[in-house]
């Protein structure tokens, strides 16, 4: 599950990209991808028009039918991997999990899977934030998509490795 603030820009874009990449990897039948938001402020709204335009321009589905929803505690325990877009989203998920390591161990910031993202030990987590394009120009959505795409192959490899490990048990 990908997680952002309102579930209308970053997390649905990541959901579409990951679903596409997992399908290309032959994993669509065994992996479910969805998205949520920390806030309920956009509840029921579709993917932002600018996000849809950028997805379309890059050959992705546009997330038609998506309706924003807020993450629930039940989502945390039923997902194998939780991918927050920012350090603030990760903290909110950890708080919601109540410190349960069975959940908190599955929270990984999306950009930690980007081999080009620079994060030195001792740096704050937020250097790996996927910037919120909502308040920026249309080009901000291009940057957001590029950050998501840069992490996608690493996420697919992580998921593939996890499925292989389960199969060996």
């Amino acid at each position: 599950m990908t997680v952002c603030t309102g579930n209308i820009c970053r997390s649905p874009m990541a959901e579409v990209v990951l679903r596409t990449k997992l399908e290309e990897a032959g994993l669509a039948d065994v992996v479910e991808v969805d998205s949520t938001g920390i806030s309920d402020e956009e509840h029921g709204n579709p993917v932002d028009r600018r996000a849809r335009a950028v997805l379309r321009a890059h050959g992705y589905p546009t997330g038609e039918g998506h309706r924003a929803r807020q993450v629930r505690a039940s989502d945390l325990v039923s997902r194998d991997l939780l991918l927050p877009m920012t350090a603030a989203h990760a903290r909110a998920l950890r708080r919601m999990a109540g410190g349960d390591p069975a959940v908190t161990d599955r929270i990984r910031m999306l950009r930690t899977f980007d081999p080009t993202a620079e994060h030195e030990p001792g740096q704050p987590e937020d250097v790996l934030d996927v910037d919120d394009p909502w308040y920026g120009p249309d080009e901000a959505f291009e940057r957001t998509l590029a950050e998501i795409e840069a992490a996608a192959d690493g996420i697919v490899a992580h998921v593939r490795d996890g499925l292989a490990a389960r199969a060996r048990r």
Side-chain angles (χ1 to χ4, degrees):
M1 176 176 19
T2 61
V3 182
C4 69
T5 303
N7 191 220
I8 61 167
C9 295
R10 290 170 288 182
S11 60
M13 288 173 75
E15 175 185 351
V16 166
V17 169
L18 289 174
R19 188 174 292 129
T20 300
K21 297 289 186 180
L22 288 161
E23 184 176 310
E24 290 170 358
L27 299 173
D29 292 340
V30 293
V31 179
E32 180 181 334
V33 182
D34 64 350
S35 64
T36 60
I38 295 298
S39 168
D40 69 349
E41 66 191 90
E42 297 289 348
H43 181 81
N45 288 335
V47 176
D48 181 273
R49 66 173 174 73
R50 297 162 296 173
R52 286 193 320 264
V54 167
L55 288 168
R56 183 181 312 106
H58 288 268
Y60 291 103
T62 59
E64 295 301 320
H66 171 86
R67 293 292 174 250
R69 72 179 188 88
Q70 186 176 26
V71 64
R72 299 178 302 256
S74 60
D75 294 325
L76 302 183
V77 296
S78 65
R79 302 306 191 280
D80 295 317
L81 183 60
L82 301 156
L83 297 165
M85 299 293 123
T86 70
H89 300 139
R91 286 190 298 273
L93 293 173
R94 289 183 193 112
R95 277 193 306 276
M96 187 181 284
D100 179 357
V103 174
T104 58
D105 289 350
R106 291 183 270 129
I107 299 171
R108 298 265 314 266
M109 288 189 49
L110 182 125
R111 289 198 61 219
T112 62
F113 291 96
D114 175 357
T116 66
E118 296 184 19
H119 182 253
E120 300 294 326
Q123 281 184 323
E125 255 186 330
D126 61 5
V127 300
L128 294 175
D129 284 0
V130 174
D131 291 329
D132 189 350
W134 175 260
Y135 298 104
D138 290 352
E139 295 78 34
F141 286 84
E142 291 283 348
R143 184 176 59 251
T144 295
L145 180 62
E147 290 175 343
I148 291 166
E149 287 179 321
D153 289 339
I155 295 167
V156 170
H158 176 79
V159 168
R160 185 182 292 117
D161 293 346
L163 291 169
R166 281 188 190 169
R168 287 191 298 269
R169 288 184 221 159

